[in-house]
Amino acid sequence: MRAPDGRCLTVETTGDPTGKPVFLLHGTPGSRLGPSPRGVMLYHQGVRLISYDRPGYGGSDRLRDRRVADVAQDVAAIADALGVDRFGVVGRSGGGPHALGCAALLADRVTRAAVLVSLAPRGADGLDWFDGMAASNIQEYTAATTGPEELAASLASRSAEIRDDPMRLLADLRRELTGPDQAVVSDAGIRSLLARNYREALRTSADGWYDDVLAFSSPWGFDPADIRVPVMIWHGTEDVFSPVSHSRWLADRIPGAVPVWQSRAAHFTALHVMPDVLTWLLTGRWVRPAGGHTADGSRSR
């Protein structure tokens, strides 16, 4: 499909073609092929899932100097091309800020928005942005502001290695994974989905990854406090890639936000709660997660 400025956007739809439309915005790095509920589950839920490669990833053309807010024009263009007027939106990890961008800037079209393991804006008032964050992410986001040329070279080198071996990224992260994340990625099926996702994300370049890191480290182009559509915020309390304090900050500032903090859960646990999140997007009902975990829907400062 084409963005308003003529850029190519690569889009995929799965699930029930007559179901309720939901945009799934992928993580960083990521692509439209990122992990999502199986087609049969989407049919059962009555969901038409729409995903696309953010600019610079996979088959989508790069948008230089893009901001988080620029997601709105691309999502609106895809929705128009598909004949979709109103839709839900969910973003995981690096897709979280972009989902919030849709909620803020497409309020007349977004029915509900859900963000899972999201970052908060860089420099957020009252938030120690790096506290509890894994060393690899601290290094990446620090370089975004102190040495962007070095960051570009580093991500280009890492992307080339990941193209040759898509499991390389998980191997690099393994030493920083907490127990809950170790349990999730020990599943061979999950690892296969992630490898497919990373391979597609970086198959041409590291541009999307680099542009994401810069966008998260710069003003987003909107204020989360201005969001007026219903928002649900989910976070595993043992996440070290985007610490739960980021989501707590967002929940305290987005009017009426529904926060869910899940204990004994971390970054990749978000893959398991996606069906429940889709149920919330369609109905506004949250199903308490199974498996002995607890969810606290109370507001916490």
Side-chain angles (χ1 to χ4, degrees):
M1 298 179 182
R2 294 288 173 182
D5 59 6
R7 286 177 294 109
C8 174
L9 297 170
T10 303
V11 182
E12 180 154 322
T13 63
T14 54
D16 183 352
T18 64
K20 294 182 179 180
V22 174
F23 275 82
L24 171 60
L25 307 183
H26 63 72
T28 301
S31 75
R32 70 193 186 282
L33 304 182
S36 64
R38 294 180 179 178
V40 64
M41 181 173 291
L42 295 172
Y43 265 95
H44 178 72
Q45 291 184 285
V47 174
R48 180 188 187 188
L49 198 67
I50 305 164
S51 54
Y52 78 104
D53 298 337
R54 267 197 304 281
Y57 285 116
S60 290
D61 292 338
R62 186 182 190 186
L63 176 61
R64 291 183 180 274
D65 302 317
R66 63 176 165 89
R67 305 171 304 159
V68 172
D70 291 326
V71 66
Q73 65 176 344
D74 288 350
V75 167
I78 293 168
D80 289 344
L82 294 174
V84 171
D85 181 28
R86 302 265 287 163
F87 48 85
V89 61
V90 54
R92 182 182 65 82
S93 189
H98 293 92
L100 293 176
C102 291
L105 303 171
L106 298 174
D108 58 333
R109 305 189 69 171
V110 172
T111 54
R112 291 187 181 91
V115 294
L116 292 75
V117 296
S118 179
L119 292 168
R122 186 81 174 263
D125 183 44
L127 174 67
D128 184 344
W129 207 79
F130 288 117
D131 184 42
M133 187 178 288
S136 60
N137 275 15
I138 293 175
Q139 182 179 7
E140 225 170 74
Y141 289 116
T142 299
T145 55
T146 63
E149 296 84 5
E150 291 81 0
L151 174 65
S154 173
L155 293 182
S157 175
R158 290 181 65 192
S159 294
E161 294 172 349
I162 293 166
R163 280 194 293 275
D164 291 338
D165 177 12
M167 295 308 297
R168 176 66 181 266
L169 181 55
L170 273 180
D172 290 344
L173 294 176
R174 188 171 292 277
R175 65 182 179 276
E176 296 179 316
L177 295 178
T178 57
D181 275 344
Q182 291 277 8
V184 174
V185 302
S186 68
D187 181 275
I190 292 292
R191 291 200 306 276
S192 177
L193 289 173
L194 291 171
R196 176 173 174 250
N197 176 41
Y198 299 147
R199 180 186 292 112
E200 178 63 12
L202 305 172
R203 66 180 169 87
T204 58
S205 73
D207 289 345
W209 193 355
Y210 174 75
D211 291 340
D212 264 359
V213 174
L214 290 190
F216 300 147
S217 302
S218 306
W220 286 4
F222 64 93
D223 186 345
D226 292 336
I227 295 174
R228 292 297 181 268
V229 304
V231 173
M232 193 270 285
I233 301 174
W234 182 95
H235 216 117
T237 59
E238 296 185 36
D239 191 345
V240 296
F241 297 107
S242 48
V244 67
S245 57
H246 287 238
S247 281
R248 293 187 188 277
W249 187 94
L250 290 168
D252 283 344
R253 283 155 181 82
I254 298 174
V258 177
V260 179
W261 317 134
Q262 186 167 330
S263 62
R264 299 188 297 280
H267 200 73
F268 289 98
T269 313
L271 303 179
H272 288 328
V273 302
M274 189 64 72
D276 289 339
V277 170
L278 291 175
T279 296
W280 182 87
L281 284 169
L282 298 186
T283 68
R285 297 194 306 272
W286 173 251
V287 179
R288 187 176 292 271
H293 298 299
T294 60
D296 177 8
S298 62
R299 190 173 291 276
S300 177
R301 290 186 180 275

